[in-house]
């Protein structure tokens, strides 16, 4: 006699679409696993930083033109305004970290088939404003005013 019993199947468990990740989500998780493995293999802190930045720039270069130009400009704004943030890949997206924790990131529109790119902040960002504040911004293009706003937000996020 078998002592193990099969759990009763619920309708949620049998609905495969509710428990599956999209192809894009699975790809992002695989990219994150590769990033972690690559980071563990690297040598000195300076080597890691140089390789992380090179990986970010390579990922930006792979983007479609509209997202690529925005990502390049955001990268420049962050490097100039918050040089203590370290560029790194995070789930296959350009991200910027302080003390190893991602503060902000750029998600291209093509990443998850969205109609716009996203510039977002994680909870380590110091953007608290009352009881509610934005943590991500949709980008269809990047104006000089947008660049200035992103620069100010990033500086505030790490202060």
């Amino acid at each position: 006699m078998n002592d193990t019993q099969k759990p009763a199947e619920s309708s949620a468990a049998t609905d495969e679409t509710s428990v599956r990740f999209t192809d894009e989500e699975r790809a992002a998780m695989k990219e994150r696993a590769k990033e972690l493995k690559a980071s563990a293999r690297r040598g000195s802190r300076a080597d890691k930083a140089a390789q992380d930045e090179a990986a970010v720039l390579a990922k930006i270069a792979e983007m479609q033109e509209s997202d690529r130009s925005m990502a390049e400009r955001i990268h420049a704004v962050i490097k100039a305004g918050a040089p203590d943030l370290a560029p790194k890949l995070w789930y296959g997206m350009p991200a910027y970290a302080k003390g190893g924790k991602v503060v902000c990131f750029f998600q291209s529109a093509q990443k998850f088939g969205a109609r716009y790119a996203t510039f977002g902040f994680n909870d380590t960002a110091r953007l608290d404003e009352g009881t509610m504040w934005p943590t991500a911004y949709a980008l269809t293009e990047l104006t000089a005013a947008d660049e200035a706003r992103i620069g100010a937000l990033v500086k505030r996020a790490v202060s």
Side-chain angles (χ1 to χ4, degrees):
M1 187 172 206
N2 190 349
D3 289 309
T4 60
Q5 293 181 350
K6 287 178 112 178
E9 290 188 34
S10 70
S11 61
T14 58
D15 182 9
E16 292 182 21
T17 58
S18 67
V19 294
R20 288 189 181 179
F21 290 104
T22 66
D23 291 340
E24 293 85 2
E25 290 167 331
R26 277 194 301 281
M29 289 184 282
K30 286 179 183 178
E31 283 184 277
R32 182 65 180 143
K34 285 182 196 174
E35 294 160 10
L36 291 171
K37 285 179 186 176
S39 179
R41 286 189 296 251
R42 293 187 185 140
S44 71
R45 182 173 284 162
D47 288 344
K48 285 183 182 183
Q51 290 173 1
D52 283 343
E53 183 157 14
V56 165
L57 294 173
K59 184 59 74 172
I60 289 171
E62 293 173 6
M63 293 178 186
Q64 293 175 354
E65 172 49 39
S66 60
D67 287 346
R68 182 175 53 247
S69 64
M70 284 191 289
E72 288 170 344
R73 290 167 59 199
I74 287 171
H75 182 77
V77 166
I78 293 170
K79 293 287 287 179
D84 54 329
L85 287 181
K88 65 185 279 177
L89 287 179
W90 184 63
Y91 293 95
M93 298 178 285
Y96 303 86
K98 183 174 183 179
K101 295 187 179 190
V102 171
V103 174
C104 57
F105 60 91
F106 177 81
Q107 179 181 300
S108 70
Q110 70 193 50
K111 181 76 174 169
F112 294 108
R115 66 182 179 89
Y116 49 80
T118 306
F119 182 71
F121 294 91
N122 279 347
D123 60 340
T124 56
R126 306 263 186 228
L127 297 175
D128 304 31
E129 192 173 287
T131 58
M132 187 171 110
W133 58 89
T135 59
Y137 296 85
L139 300 170
T140 56
E141 63 180 85
L142 201 57
T143 66
D146 297 331
E147 287 181 30
R149 185 170 182 198
I150 287 170
L153 284 167
V154 169
K155 283 180 186 177
R156 189 169 139 212
V158 295
S159 63

